[in-house]
Amino acid sequence: MHKSIIKFTFAVLLIATSSNVVMAQENEDGRRYGNFCSSCHGTAGAAVSDAIPSIGGQHKDFLITSMLEMKPQVVDGKEQAPKRYSTLMQIFFKGYSEDEIKAMADWYSSRPWVPTNYPLNQDLVNKGKASANLDTCTSCHGTDGNNIEDTGIPRIGGQTPTYLYHALLEYKNNKRNADGRALEMDVVKEISDEELRALAEYFSSLR
Amino acid sequence: MKKLSRRNFVKTTAISAASLSILGLYGCKKSAETAATPAETAKPAETASTAAAKKAGHTVVIAGGGYGGATAAKYLKLLNPSINVILIDRNAEHVSCAMSNEVIFGLRNISEITMPLTKLAEKYGIEFKQAEVTGLDGEKKILKTSAGDVAYDKLIVSPGISMDYDPALNFTAERQKEIPHAWIAGPQTLQLKDMVSKIKAGDTIIFRTPLALYRCPPGPYERACLFGNEALKKGAKVIVLDPNPQIMSKKPLFEAAFNNLYKDVLTYYSGVEVTGIDYDKKIVKTNKGDFQGALINYVPNQKAGELVFTLGLVEPGKKWASVDPKSFESTLIKDVYVIGDAIDSAPVTEMPKSGTIANATAKVVAENLVRIFAGKEPRVPLVGNTCYSLVSEQEGIWIATLYEYDATKNKIITRNGANGIPKEASVENRINGHSWGNNILSDTFM
């Protein structure tokens, strides 16, 4: 028994050590620009609560697209409404340049993806797992919700549950209709709010 | 190096892996070094890093374990585990002032906002001392405490606020107990919660807000709303006595709540000067008339936590500690940094006295101390403030601002106009606000 524990702990140690060594090149500017983000999104972007998303370890391309879409652009000296809905994020992105946003995305995406430990509603998880629309989701996001082939597609496995639900509602209600990605998400328009809530809980449970 | 039994090896290896998962969030080289010597690390973070720090000679002492102090301690360790970090507080746990209004009105349990500093210390290898700080020798760099002298390379002081009672009101210690302010969370929070639970039909609640500058600009108006909510449920009335000329934060949103949700139960007076209190008859005398109430919640005006006065960090005649806005270093004593609510903010910054700002500026100071120890130039503050408030049990509001140091003004000001509030209160804002609360507690104390 001890041997297997040793093997296991060694494996954990090696993985942790090697990933740390890889991470040694931190984008310190990105860390500085985003130092206060962790007060809402959790230390190094690992959120502990349910309505604000984890951003640490999220795919970089998705982070950049999301942040730039929430940033109000100025055209002919006039501030335009951001392409994507947010409650307060558009205020903060107004304060950052595109390069600074990319640096923040670089730093947060290089942190570990830490699945949320927010308590689950098992009933909803089961309903989500049984959903006829599950395959539609996993075909892009991967069966574990963490497709790493296409970094423009967000990690959703282990993401905070209420955030996922709110995001699905935003796609459904045309609040995130900025680009081609939103078109892909048009599939959610045919799905009831109740089923979306269950799918959100299921993907949050993939931890 | 001690020889390891297999059992100990398993144990220490497992602990190293666990500590890596925490430290791996930040400064990675250091974690890898720690991992290379699991044999030395029965309690890896503590013994190894303390030994290394003693060699390197970098000790940061932090007085005060609230949002500022706890964040500074944690982030110093995340950024460089070899720094010797000593956190001192008179209490072994910190009760968060943010969200304490929710406790008063039964929307959160006080255990949710009670943060054990000992746990934080254990997790990150911080040395925690439960002690009273009694004095400072700024030249020899020694902090004097009830647990003995503590030497430092850099000292961070984050004591929060203390009450500045108006002597004319004769607020004796006994009367301070009868009329709790509950503006420093803890026993008074529960005392006011108990008083609120006893409100009955026909009662009048008198709530006096503090004169700016005070901790948490929207806090008084959130509490006023929640008093209004309680009054609606029970058939009581609320009188809000505000010494300020107007609502001091998120004004249109609180005004909308007063004028719509609570128009039948709440009366708001601005520019109120309290001239006397009849403690037996529970009458508050003011320039706007006399008000009698079953419950009086009088929040006094405020000044910096007593500690900065004890340590000589306040200029004569001032109520807050003066700092250089580039660094938060005291203008009076070198190598001493003051963060959080205790700073004399008006001359140097537009930032509010909020938990989020204490958390964010603590990260700036931690990062800069690590840079200074490594022989690098410190960088100017760039921080944000997010603050959610409730206007009822269902709906919330927020304010969001990005701040940066501006060299031409020598002030920390709003960056690129990034400041705003929502158009109206909403359920979504309440839900996000609850998550914000949990995440900032975690980012600061866990």
Side-chain angles (χ1 to χ4, degrees), chain B residues 62-65 87-93 117 128-133 146 159 161-162 184 305-307 310:
Chain B
I62 301 164
L87 176 63
I88 304 171
D89 198 287
R90 60 159 70 107
N91 298 312
E93 55 192 24
L117 298 173
F128 178 70
K129 284 182 194 290
Q130 189 175 352
E132 286 287 335
V133 174
S146 59
I161 54 160
S162 61
I184 294 171
E306 291 296 344
L307 185 58
T310 308

Side-chain angles (χ1 to χ4, degrees), chain A residues 107-159:
Chain A
W107 188 75
Y108 274 104
S109 64
S110 70
R111 301 304 93 199
W113 175 253
V114 183
T116 181
N117 59 0
Y118 194 78
L120 289 165
N121 177 330
Q122 198 54 47
D123 188 40
L124 282 176
V125 173
N126 295 341
K127 278 182 188 156
K129 197 175 180 180
S131 162
N133 290 295
L134 185 63
D135 288 351
T136 316
C137 307
T138 55
S139 65
C140 289
H141 289 281
T143 47
D144 63 353
N146 285 319
N147 176 0
I148 53 168
E149 304 287 314
D150 183 343
T151 57
I153 297 174
R155 285 178 181 272
I156 56 172
Q159 182 57 283

Side-chain angles (χ1 to χ4, degrees), chain B residues 192-420:
Chain B
L192 185 57
K193 175 183 162 67
D194 185 54
M195 290 164 70
V196 166
S197 73
K198 290 174 181 150
I199 294 168
K200 52 187 195 309
D203 279 354
T204 298
I205 299 155
I206 297 175
F207 174 43
R208 189 270 184 180
T209 68
L211 179 68
L213 297 165
Y214 56 85
R215 162 177 285 177
C216 187
Y221 309 102
E222 176 186 63
R223 188 178 288 181
C225 285
L226 294 173
F227 271 130
N229 187 62
E230 199 69 21
L232 271 182
K233 283 196 280 188
K234 293 186 172 164
K237 298 266 183 213
V238 186
I239 307 281
V240 181
L241 304 176
D242 190 348
N244 297 295
Q246 58 182 353
I247 293 170
M248 299 304 283
S249 177
K250 307 173 187 169
K251 185 171 174 243
L253 300 160
F254 283 119
E255 223 164 41
F258 290 177
N259 295 338
N260 300 316
L261 294 173
Y262 307 119
K263 66 177 188 304
D264 297 330
V265 293
L266 184 146
T267 313
Y268 171 80
Y269 296 91
S270 59
V272 177
E273 193 189 332
V274 174
T275 52
I277 299 176
D278 185 328
Y279 293 93
D280 296 326
K281 293 181 183 157
K282 291 190 165 181
I283 295 171
V284 179
K285 297 170 185 173
T286 82
N287 58 338
K288 307 266 164 144
D290 294 356
F291 301 94
Q292 203 263 339
L295 186 161
I296 301 172
N297 180 203
Y298 186 102
V299 182
N301 298 344
Q302 291 154 28
K303 58 185 178 175
E306 291 296 344
L307 185 58
V308 289
F309 295 90
T310 308
L311 301 187
L313 299 168
V314 181
E315 287 174 26
K318 287 219 169 188
K319 292 184 175 179
W320 309 94
S322 300
V323 295
D324 178 346
K326 275 196 303 299
S327 60
F328 295 93
E329 190 171 11
S330 164
T331 55
L332 297 175
I333 304 178
K334 207 176 162 327
D335 295 317
V336 177
Y337 297 76
V338 185
I339 54 175
D341 294 346
I343 69 164
D344 189 14
S345 40
V348 293
T349 177
E350 296 170 357
M351 300 188 305
K353 297 187 183 301
S354 76
T356 309
I357 286 297
N359 166 290
T361 50
K363 290 171 191 166
V364 170
V365 171
E367 178 117 27
N368 279 340
L369 293 187
V370 169
R371 290 179 71 86
I372 290 166
F373 291 150
K376 294 182 191 167
E377 279 295 307
R379 299 186 292 195
V380 297
L382 168 59
V383 298
N385 184 55
T386 311
C387 167
Y388 286 87
S389 313
L390 291 173
V391 295
S392 69
E393 287 182 25
Q394 289 306 315
E395 294 188 323
I397 57 177
W398 47 260
I399 186 164
T401 317
L402 188 64
Y403 298 98
E404 188 176 35
Y405 174 77
D406 180 303
T408 54
K409 295 186 174 134
N410 193 32
K411 259 187 143 178
I412 298 171
I413 59 170
T414 303
R415 192 185 207 223
N416 301 342
N419 164 264

